[in-house]
Amino acid sequence: PIKGETSIIVTASGSNITTTTIYRDYNDWKKKNSVPPDSPVFCMTGWYPCVKEALLSRGWTFNADPTSPYFDLKWSLRSIDINQENLQPWQLTNHFLKNIALTTKIGLLKSLQSLSWLVDSNCNDIIPRGYDLTNHEGIIDFMDDFKYQRAINILKKLFYDITGIKQIRNQLDKQIDKSLDNNLETQIDSTNNEDMIIGDKIIDLLNVNI
C-alpha cells in the first residue's frame, strides 16, 4: 500500500536515518530507507531495551515509527497497539486475537472448566478450585464449597478427637523426619530397621475415608 510517513531507522550499527516519503510496498520502503533487502525489520511500543538490543545484535533493523505497517515483527506492550486485522501473513507480533482464554485468570479458569468435554479429566485435578465471582452462579458455587469444606473440617476434628489418629499421625511424621535426618535411603534399604515398619492397623487408620 502507498503511504506517506516519517521514518526514523536505527540500524545494527546504531546510525539513525530520518526520512519523509511515499512507499509503494515493503521492498520500496526498505530500499528508500537503506535497509538491506534480507534484513528483517521490527518496531515496538513500550520500553523493551533487552528485546531491542537482542534483535539488533542479530542483524534486525529497528523501525522507530510504531504506527508503520512496514515490519516483520511488532513488539508492543498492549494488544490494542496492533491492528490484527491488517497484518500480513508473514508479519509476527507478541499478541494474538482472543487470547484472554489463556492470558487472564478467569479466561484460563473457564477454558479448563470446559476440559471435560475434550478429555477424561476435571479442572480441579489440574489447578486449585476457582470461581468466577463476577456472576451469580459462581458466587453460589463458592458459598456451597465453603460450607462443604467447613463441615468436613468439623467432622475431621471430631474424628481425630475421638480416635486419637491425629496424635498417631504427628508421631509418624516425627518418626519419618528423624529417619530422613539419619539417611532415609539407607534405612529404607535395611530389612532390620524396625523404626520404619508401619503396622497394617496404623495404615488402615491413616487411610480412613471420612
Side-chain angles (χ1 to χ4, degrees):
I2 297 175
K3 180 183 177 182
E5 65 176 32
T6 300
S7 299
I8 304 175
I9 311 302
V10 180
T11 64
S13 62
S15 59
N16 294 356
I17 304 172
T18 303
T19 60
T20 302
T21 187
I22 295 177
Y23 309 107
R24 294 191 304 272
D25 52 31
Y26 191 23
N27 291 330
D28 187 47
W29 179 89
K30 282 188 173 183
K31 181 178 180 181
K32 291 180 178 179
N33 286 283
S34 303
V35 177
D38 58 344
S39 174
V41 177
F42 73 99
C43 62
M44 62 172 51
T45 63
W47 179 246
Y48 297 101
C50 295
V51 176
K52 181 178 179 181
E53 293 173 5
L55 290 172
L56 288 174
S57 67
R58 288 166 172 78
W60 286 64
T61 298
F62 177 47
N63 182 353
D65 180 4
T67 64
S68 173
Y70 305 115
F71 61 85
D72 296 278
L73 169 66
K74 185 167 186 177
W75 197 278
S76 68
L77 175 63
R78 304 174 300 173
S79 59
I80 60 174
D81 294 331
I82 301 173
N83 190 338
Q84 298 279 358
E85 302 296 337
N86 292 335
L87 289 177
Q88 300 299 317
W90 42 268
Q91 290 181 315
L92 302 176
T93 71
N94 63 322
H95 295 276
F96 56 91
L97 291 174
K98 301 179 180 180
N99 61 355
I100 59 173
L102 295 175
T103 59
T104 63
K105 294 178 181 178
I106 187 61
L108 182 60
L109 174 63
K110 290 182 176 180
S111 296
L112 290 175
Q113 286 176 340
S114 303
L115 187 63
S116 58
W117 293 98
L118 304 175
V119 296
D120 185 18
S121 183
N122 187 282
C123 163
N124 296 333
D125 298 333
I126 301 174
I127 61 173
R129 293 187 303 277
Y131 303 92
D132 180 8
L133 300 183
T134 62
N135 64 63
H136 181 70
E137 183 179 352
I139 294 175
I140 296 300
D141 290 341
F142 170 75
M143 293 175 64
D144 288 344
D145 191 15
F146 180 85
K147 294 175 183 178
Y148 173 78
Q149 292 301 320
R150 179 59 177 165
I152 289 294
N153 289 336
I154 293 174
L155 290 175
K156 282 185 175 181
K157 184 179 185 305
L158 179 61
F159 180 80
Y160 288 149
D161 290 343
I162 294 174
T163 63
I165 285 183
K166 190 170 185 179
Q167 287 76 15
I168 297 175
R169 186 184 295 273
N170 290 337
Q171 292 176 4
L172 182 62
D173 289 340
K174 291 180 181 179
Q175 180 182 351
I176 292 176
D177 290 340
K178 180 180 179 180
S179 299
L180 287 173
D181 292 338
N182 295 324
N183 192 338
L184 179 61
E185 293 183 359
T186 302
Q187 295 190 29
I188 290 177
D189 293 336
S190 174
T191 57
N192 296 324
N193 183 15
E194 297 180 357
D195 291 338
M196 292 301 295
I197 298 176
I198 303 175
D200 293 338
K201 293 183 179 180
I202 295 180
I203 294 177
D204 292 338
L205 288 174
L206 293 178
N207 290 331
V208 169
N209 186 10
I210 302 175

